[in-house]
Structure formats: structure tokens, C-alpha cells
Amino acid sequence: MPLMTSWVEAANAPDCDFPLNNLPYGVFDDGSGARMGVAIGDCVLDVARVDHGLDPDLFSAPTWNSVMASGPATWDALRARLMVLLGDPAYGAAVSPHLVAQSDVRLLMPFTVTEYTDFYASKHHATNVGTMFRGPENALPPNWLSIPIGYNGRASSVVVSGTPVHRPWGQVKRPDEALPQFAPSARFDLELELGAIVGGPSSGMVSVAEADEMIFGYVLLNDWSARDIQAWEYQPLGPFQAKATATTISPWIVTRAALEPFRTTSPERDRPLLPYLHEPGPMLYDIELSVGLAPQGASETIICRTNYGQMYYSAAQQLCHHTTSGCSMRTGDLLGSGTISGPDKDSRGSLLEMSWGGKEPVEVAGGQRCFLEDGDTLTLYGAACGDGYRIGFGTCSGTVQPAITLPDWASEATS
Amino acid sequence: MPLMTSWVEAANAPDCDFPLNNLPYGVFDDGSGARMGVAIGDCVLDVARVDHGLDPDLFSAPTWNSVMASGPATWDALRARLMVLLGDPAYGAAVSPHLVAQSDVRLLMPFTVTEYTDFYASKHHATNVGTMFRGPENALPPNWLSIPIGYNGRASSVVVSGTPVHRPWGQVKRPDEALPQFAPSARFDLELELGAIVGGPSSGMVSVAEADEMIFGYVLLNDWSARDIQAWEYQPLGPFQAKATATTISPWIVTRAALEPFRTTSPERDRPLLPYLHEPGPMLYDIELSVGLAPQGASETIICRTNYGQMYYSAAQQLCHHTTSGCSMRTGDLLGSGTISGPDKDSRGSLLEMSWGGKEPVEVAGGQRCFLEDGDTLTLYGAACGDGYRIGFGTCSGTVQPAITLPDWASEATS
């Protein structure tokens, strides 16, 4: 599919994240309150104020949940209408008063997260982490090639790009000590992921094909992780406070419709999947991803380049598996893909892997990093690249703030 | 504290779950729609229709979340007012038209669950499970005596007492097979727990004392668990689909205020807790608990009697720990205590423990059980027993239904 041209000129530049082909959904505030918007070129369209052809109630609250809940026919109708309004110059005069420069707005959470689940679907990531912790012979857990491994995360911790992230306190046990301390995490890390947003609800088991139809769109997702807290807490019931500080998402929901031309097949299976996980067609996407790290006062270094297309399990498979037990899924549920790592050292999606557990520092402008330092700004980038255009995700960014001052009650001497 | 008498005569019987001292909150439907109610004796008070003295908007939606969000001063004012309305016979004429017989109503979910976290706070339970899986020398994980171990569960799976529970499908790997099958769970189990409901929200770290003040009340909680699905899926990221079929709660929120006279201290610590987990006073409650199992067409056998007062970590400690990473807590969050097991075989809170991993069947009317069979009805009971009265929780019940018929797409032959 070629570039679809818009009368918003900036949208037609080949390096623009937001051509007419994209039309991602967000929530913005230009100083007059939060409203639902669509990115086009260097602008945001105030969608509630144009002749969108849908029930105005869908746009009465500044969140995309109502549109998501209204179902795929509405999703298609809105996208088709926006294509006309922003593609046909005849609508320029009527629509342009409702465009706001992106540089003049603050972007807010694009939807209300109902529940948040995080998966573990990159074979390279699982192999890297497993090799570090259990040795190369036992790198992949026995279940990994059969199950889209996942765990429930904390929806209240999901924040939008730009939100500062405080280094967490927690229980950490140093290797040379018998007992834990309550201390700020010294191994605070990122995880480069893609987030899939459940639009339509379900009750009961859904197929991979049905699951795919339920997905409204995707965002970039950084699942900030405190490796030292995780190492001490995670047996036997999994990660908990290590993952609850923050999960940052990019502010624009890139729709499944916009990504259609970039579908790609899952890799060869090392052993056959159970029938319920069979895919009816290509369910991954060719999305180029990268991570930039900028220490305080220094320029940004790209520390990772990878691609979502090399995951082992798709979001549709993960969502199908999520429903097997009878678990209901609801509008606004967010599924993290798991850390997206490629086969090479510079395609690893976490510092844990890049620095191989803190033993091989990564070079960045102004220093080296094994884990994150206060003042570091992490930014995820992503785009599906077409013929003369790109479906961009915008940026997913956060700056590490020092740990908060410990309240007196938490530091009293042990009696 | 003695029995407080009510003009609702049934409330004054010593074996009544709902004396004036209790006043638990629920949502009921007598055929004319869902409304907020208070249990008194054998009746439910339609609270929105009496002179409760609060903002009527707090009672406009059939859920207790708005009252919870309004904070402890409102909680105290409502309880005090209800004590007068239901205690002083002068109000009998005005209030009695708004009483409905409990036998004439259906009880619904008393609040909207925002997020659900499950803990692992009984030392007997953790020791039993650890002994079965890792041997007696390594029964307790090294972190257990330091951390209130918890994991995030699935809020969408929480249902009210009386909701049928279908035996889940899932990936299970039999010990004599190399690869998993997709099959109904053959080791479906209960977990006897107490659920703590977060009333007031928080952002940032809260102390144990502050956490206690945030708790609105408690319910009985059965965290249905598929042990075979769990065994195959839980490494390395913890239980996921094994716990997502259903979590049943009792329909009455017993307030923290009603339980005040029954506070009891946590047990001796095997090693000192970190200062942030120190308790300012007694934070557990002396609540007698039991579990009944009734096979289809047979009478009920009590298979477990235990007490919440012997837990190692309180809900206030769990909630405090939950916030250490900076995790925000919100009105309607539900914290499961973890399975409540005592030291004896007949005080174990799960069939996994009672049958010692399926090796020692439990005798029930009409047969034996290692795990649950289709048609079994499980009922949890709980009460704090005072001088001539009891603060009852009502019942928390569910009947196991056969697994659903597998859709064609899930059973196609592997190509």
C-alpha cells in the first residue's frame, strides 16, 4: 500500500510518524481540558468537534474506552470517515479549525487501563534471561515452547509517556548478605515491549482469530523493572513489586487497521503448538523498534534496535490463551508482549541482557551503564515502514527520578 | 462488647450472623432492581430509602464503591446513623417498611473490584505446600519470613457467592508424559481465604497503620485453583490461568469497625521483620472459619475448621508492602489473605493440603475427595464470636459445573 495523501501537508512527508495511513488515537490537552484526538502530520484533530458521523456520547469522556466498547463496526466507520475528512481537500475548510499543533498540547493517557497482563514471548529474551539464571542447558523453562507464559501486572501503575518515574524502594538481598535490606533498587531496568489493547470484551474461550478481532490497537510499552527486588521476591509466585513502580505507554493508540499491511508470520515452531494456539494467518507485525538512553545533561545513545516480527507468540495467541480458563476479558485490558529481544547483543530489549546481568557495561554518551541511573531518560521508538511512508508510534519516554525520601516510620531502628 | 439489641427481633438471637453489632453492606435485588443493602437479623435494609443523613449520590449506583471512596469519616457517620435507626425502637415505624426478608432477595456483587491481589500469608499453608513440592528441609522459600509474598490476580474473575463455577480447561502435563495436553483440570481445588477491601486510595508508600485505616472491610474468599494447570504454567512468572477461572466472595462486606473488638496480635516472628512492616498494634482478627463440601445429592461435610488469627502477615502489612514500589492503590482493590491453614490436618484450607497432594483422600458424605468433582458445592463460613453474639460473614458458596464443551477450533487435529 502506498502513502495516502492528506491535505495536512506535514502528513505526507516520508519520515512523518502520522500520515493518513496511520490515524492513531490519543487524548490531548491544549490548556482548555482533556479531549480525544487523532494525530495527523504535526497536528492533532479534535475529533469530537468534526462531523464524525457517530454517536456524540462516544466522545463525551476524554478516553477511547467508549469507542473501543462500541465494537469493530464502529472502529471501521470512524476510521473510514476520518480518511475522508483528512484526505479530501474539500473538507479542509470545515475541519482545519479543529486541528491543534502537536507542539501546543500535552498528551494524556489515551484510554483507561482495566487490567494489565504482561507476557514473556520473545525466545531470545527468555533464552538470555534463562541462560544467566540457570545456565545454557536449562535456559528455556520446559513449558516455554508450549505456553504463552504470562502473569498479571498492576493496571494502576500504567502511566503515559513523559511521566517521571521514581526509583523504587523495596526488599533487596545482596549476594553476600543473609538477610534483605529495605533500600532503593540498585538494578533498575527497562523492558522494551509492545502493548496490545483489548477493545471488545469476551466471556468464555475465544479462538486466536476471534482474539485478533478483539484487539483495538497497539502502543509502545516500557515495563520498568527492579531486578534486585525481583530476584528476592519472585519465588514462588512471580514478579510483584519489582514490576509495580510504573509501566509507561506511548500516547497514541496505533490501530490494528493501520498495521494490517505489515502483518508477518510467526517463526518456525521448535515443536508443534497445541491446536487451540494455531494461527489462521500472520498475526505478528513488522515493526522496527529502538531504545534511546540519554543521561542527564548528555545526548541520547541508541542502545537497542530490534523488531516485533521476531516474537514467538502473537498478541492474538496470548489473548486466546488468557481466556482458556474461563477468564473474562474487558474493554481496556492491556497485554504487554514481553521484552522484545533479537538475536544480537545490540538487539536486546533490557539492560539486564545488554549488560549480561551487570557484567558488561553498555557505552552511552557521557558514560557506561549496567542499569539505570537517576536522571537517565529512556525513550522507546517504533514504526512500521511502508513504501514512502511510516506508521509511527510516536515516543514512549520516561526519566528516572531519585528514590523518594524514606518516611520515618519505615526507617525506625529495629527494636 | 456485649450484644447491641435491635428492634429487628431476629437480630438479637445469639446465633444470628447479623446483629446490630455487625451491619454488613451488600447489594440485593428483590425483583425490582439492584440496590444497596445492610443486613440486620433475617432482613436487608434498603439503605437508600431511609434517612441515612448522607449525600444521596453515594447510593445512586448499586455498589458500595462510592461510599468507600468518600472516606473514613463517612464510613463512621453511616455506621453510627444505622446503629440509631436499627437500634432505637422509635425509628421502627419509619424504617421497617424498607426492610426486605433475606429469603426474598438475590445477593449481588457488593462492590466493583478494581484490581485483585492474592497473598500467601499462612505459614502452615506455605510450609505444607513447600514440603510437598520441595521437601521438609526447603519447605519455606528463603524470602517467606521477610516478605508478605503476593501476586496480582484477575479482577474480572471475581464473582459473588452462588455463581456456578465451570471446571477450567487448560494446559496440563501428566507426570508420565513429555508434552502437555489441552484438557479439563483434573485437580480443581478451593482455597479458603479472607479478602480485605481497600476503601481509601493511596499514592506513594503508606505505613502499616495508614494501610489499616484504608481497609473498608472484609469478605470470605474462595480462590478456586487448578493445581495441574498451575504446576505446568507457574515457572518462572507465577500462577496465571490456574487462578483465573473464578474467585468467589461472600456477598456481605463486614466492616473493619464491626471487627474492632476481635483484633488479635500476629504470632511470634521467626526472625525480626524489617521496620517498615512493624505493626503498631494487633492487626489480625479472631475469626473462626470453616469449609463445607456437599457432593451432588449428598449432605454437607465440614472438611476444615481454622482461624484467621493465626496468619503470619496481616492485611495491613500486605497493603503496606503493596505500596513500597510506588504502586498506587485504589478504591475497590481486593487483597486475598492467602490460604488460611492451621497446624492440624483438619485445619488445612485447601484439598491439596488435606489430601497431601492427592495421596490421602478426604472422607465426605457419599464418598472421598482428593480434588473437587463436578456437582460438588463448596461453602465457606466465617464469624467472629463475641459474648452472646456473632459477627457473621454469611456464606461464600459455589458449585462446580462440568467443563464446557470444547469449541471445534480448539480440538482440531494437529496438522
Side-chain angles (χ1 to χ4, degrees):
Chain A
M1 181 179 289
L3 170 72
M4 301 170 69
T5 56
S6 169
W7 51 262
V8 181
E9 278 302 326
N12 304 325
D15 61 345
C16 177
D17 264 0
F18 308 120
L20 188 61
N21 307 54
N22 193 349
L23 299 181
Y25 300 134
V27 170
F28 72 101
D29 188 347
D30 61 357
S32 62
R35 299 202 299 285
M36 294 163 71
V38 180
I40 181 76
D42 52 358
C43 292
V44 185
L45 176 68
D46 188 347
V47 64
R49 304 204 180 176
V50 298
D51 180 19
H52 49 65
L54 298 176
D55 181 349
D57 286 350
L58 296 179
F59 302 93
S60 59
T63 171
W64 282 85
N65 293 59
S66 293
V67 169
M68 292 197 279
S70 65
T74 300
W75 310 348
D76 292 346
L78 178 61
R79 181 170 170 83
R81 181 66 185 159
L82 291 168
M83 289 273 180
V84 171
L85 293 176
L86 293 166
D88 184 344
Y91 290 95
V95 171
S96 58
H98 306 299
L99 292 175
V100 186
Q102 285 175 23
S103 54
D104 289 344
V105 306
R106 193 162 61 96
L107 294 170
L108 310 175
M109 276 291 288
F111 70 107
T112 304
V113 181
T114 307
E115 296 196 66
Y116 166 47
T117 310
D118 197 27
F119 286 87
Y120 190 57
S122 157
K123 191 175 164 194
H124 299 296
H125 171 69
T127 302
N128 286 338
V129 173
T131 302
M132 273 184 263
F133 292 165
R134 292 180 296 273
E137 302 76 20
N138 302 304
L140 280 186
N143 54 18
W144 198 91
L145 294 171
S146 297
I147 304 187
I149 294 282
Y151 66 101
N152 297 297
R154 181 79 195 171
S156 71
S157 71
V158 181
V159 297
V160 74
S161 178
T163 307
V165 175
H166 283 274
R167 178 181 300 277
W169 286 87
Q171 286 200 23
V172 295
K173 193 190 81 60
R174 309 222 160 92
D176 56 343
E177 291 177 349
L179 292 174
Q181 303 180 20
F182 193 66
S185 171
R187 292 163 75 96
F188 197 46
D189 198 0
L190 78 138
E191 288 193 339
L192 165 62
E193 302 193 23
L194 203 66
I197 301 163
V198 176
S202 71
S203 66
M205 220 184 293
V206 301
S207 68
V208 173
E210 290 165 336
D212 187 60
E213 292 288 318
M214 288 167 60
I215 295 172
F216 181 68
Y218 292 84
V219 289
L220 302 174
L221 185 151
N222 179 1
D223 195 38
W224 304 87
S225 299
R227 303 297 177 191
D228 40 5
I229 295 173
Q230 185 173 351
W232 173 238
E233 78 175 358
Y234 92 109
Q235 288 289 7
L237 299 182
F240 181 45
Q241 291 305 286
K243 301 282 195 167
T245 300
T247 296
T248 304
I249 63 170
S250 52
W252 295 110
I253 304 173
V254 174
T255 62
R256 182 165 50 82
L259 291 169
E260 277 302 323
F262 302 95
R263 281 188 183 262
T264 183
T265 52
S266 307
E268 280 289 301
R269 302 298 172 184
D270 296 36
R271 64 178 185 235
L273 293 177
L274 285 163
Y276 80 95
L277 289 172
H278 288 183
E279 291 175 300
M283 293 274 153
L284 291 170
Y285 298 96
D286 179 4
I287 300 171
E288 296 176 10
L289 301 162
S290 60
V291 178
L293 191 163
Q296 194 161 26
S299 60
E300 180 181 78
T301 302
I302 298 298
I303 58 174
C304 163
R305 291 181 200 277
T306 184
N307 194 298
Y308 177 67
Q310 59 193 311
M311 299 297 272
Y312 199 83
Y313 295 106
S314 63
Q317 287 174 314
Q318 292 167 335
L319 178 50
C320 161
H321 180 69
H322 212 322
T323 68
T324 50
S325 63
C327 181
S328 297
M329 304 302 298
R330 297 180 291 185
T331 297
D333 284 340
L334 174 64
L335 311 186
S337 61
T339 306
I340 303 168
S341 291
D344 308 315
K345 183 164 181 179
D346 61 359
S347 63
R348 296 174 185 162
S350 68
L351 280 167
L352 177 71
E353 293 164 89
M354 292 179 219
S355 73
W356 207 251
K359 291 184 285 197
E360 301 170 16
V362 176
E363 299 293 331
V364 297
Q368 294 184 321
R369 287 292 179 279
C370 286
F371 294 98
L372 296 170
E373 296 190 5
D374 293 347
D376 285 355
T377 297
L378 250 294
T379 306
L380 314 186
Y381 303 93
C385 296
D387 181 14
Y389 74 100
R390 42 191 276 137
I391 301 293
F393 281 76
T395 57
C396 176
S397 187
T399 300
V400 180
Q401 310 292 315
I404 63 165
T405 303
L406 198 63
D408 288 343
W409 54 260
S411 56
E412 57 163 311
T414 306
S415 59
Chain B
M1 179 181 288
L3 171 73
M4 302 170 68
T5 56
S6 170
W7 53 262
V8 180
E9 277 304 327
N12 304 326
D15 62 346
C16 177
D17 264 359
F18 309 118
L20 188 62
N21 307 54
N22 194 348
L23 298 181
Y25 300 134
V27 171
F28 71 100
D29 186 347
D30 61 357
S32 62
R35 300 202 299 285
M36 295 163 70
V38 180
I40 181 75
D42 53 358
C43 292
V44 186
L45 176 68
D46 188 346
V47 64
R49 304 202 179 177
V50 299
D51 180 20
H52 48 66
L54 298 177
D55 181 349
D57 285 350
L58 296 179
F59 302 92
S60 60
T63 171
W64 283 85
N65 293 60
S66 294
V67 169
M68 291 197 278
S70 65
T74 299
W75 310 348
D76 291 348
L78 177 61
R79 182 172 170 83
R81 180 66 185 159
L82 290 167
M83 289 271 181
V84 172
L85 293 176
L86 293 166
D88 184 344
Y91 290 95
V95 170
S96 58
H98 306 298
L99 291 175
V100 185
Q102 286 174 22
S103 54
D104 289 344
V105 305
R106 193 162 60 97
L107 293 171
L108 308 175
M109 276 290 290
F111 70 107
T112 303
V113 180
T114 307
E115 297 196 64
Y116 166 47
T117 309
D118 196 27
F119 286 87
Y120 191 57
S122 157
K123 191 176 165 193
H124 299 296
H125 171 69
T127 302
N128 287 339
V129 172
T131 301
M132 273 184 262
F133 292 166
R134 291 180 296 272
E137 302 77 20
N138 302 302
L140 280 185
N143 54 18
W144 199 90
L145 294 171
S146 297
I147 304 189
I149 293 283
Y151 66 101
N152 297 296
R154 182 79 195 172
S156 70
S157 70
V158 181
V159 296
V160 74
S161 178
T163 306
V165 175
H166 283 274
R167 178 181 300 279
W169 286 86
Q171 287 198 22
V172 295
K173 195 190 80 62
R174 310 222 161 92
D176 56 344
E177 292 177 351
L179 292 173
Q181 301 180 21
F182 193 66
S185 171
R187 293 164 74 94
F188 198 45
D189 198 1
L190 78 138
E191 288 192 341
L192 165 62
E193 304 194 22
L194 203 67
I197 300 163
V198 175
S202 71
S203 65
M205 218 184 293
V206 302
S207 68
V208 173
E210 289 164 336
D212 188 60
E213 293 288 318
M214 287 167 60
I215 295 171
F216 181 68
Y218 292 83
V219 288
L220 303 174
L221 185 151
N222 178 1
D223 194 38
W224 303 87
S225 300
R227 302 298 178 193
D228 39 6
I229 296 173
Q230 186 174 352
W232 173 237
E233 76 173 2
Y234 92 109
Q235 289 289 8
L237 299 182
F240 181 45
Q241 290 305 287
K243 301 283 193 166
T245 300
T247 296
T248 304
I249 62 171
S250 52
W252 295 111
I253 304 172
V254 174
T255 62
R256 181 164 50 82
L259 291 169
E260 276 303 323
F262 303 95
R263 282 187 182 263
T264 182
T265 52
S266 307
E268 281 290 299
R269 302 299 172 182
D270 296 37
R271 61 178 185 236
L273 293 177
L274 285 163
Y276 81 95
L277 288 171
H278 287 183
E279 291 175 301
M283 294 275 153
L284 291 171
Y285 298 96
D286 178 4
I287 300 171
E288 295 177 10
L289 299 162
S290 60
V291 178
L293 192 161
Q296 193 160 26
S299 60
E300 179 181 79
T301 303
I302 297 297
I303 57 174
C304 164
R305 292 181 200 276
T306 184
N307 194 299
Y308 177 68
Q310 57 191 315
M311 299 297 272
Y312 199 83
Y313 296 105
S314 63
Q317 287 174 313
Q318 292 167 334
L319 179 50
C320 161
H321 179 69
H322 211 323
T323 68
T324 50
S325 63
C327 182
S328 298
M329 303 302 298
R330 297 180 291 186
T331 297
D333 284 340
L334 173 65
L335 310 186
S337 61
T339 306
I340 303 168
S341 291
D344 308 315
K345 183 165 180 176
D346 61 0
S347 63
R348 296 173 185 164
S350 68
L351 280 167
L352 176 71
E353 294 163 88
M354 292 178 218
S355 73
W356 207 250
K359 291 185 284 196
E360 301 170 16
V362 176
E363 300 292 331
V364 297
Q368 294 185 323
R369 287 291 180 278
C370 285
F371 294 98
L372 296 170
E373 297 191 4
D374 293 347
D376 284 355
T377 296
L378 252 294
T379 306
L380 314 186
Y381 304 92
C385 297
D387 181 14
Y389 73 101
R390 43 191 274 137
I391 302 294
F393 282 75
T395 57
C396 176
S397 187
T399 300
V400 180
Q401 310 294 314
I404 63 164
T405 304
L406 198 63
D408 288 342
W409 54 260
S411 56
E412 56 164 311
T414 306
S415 58

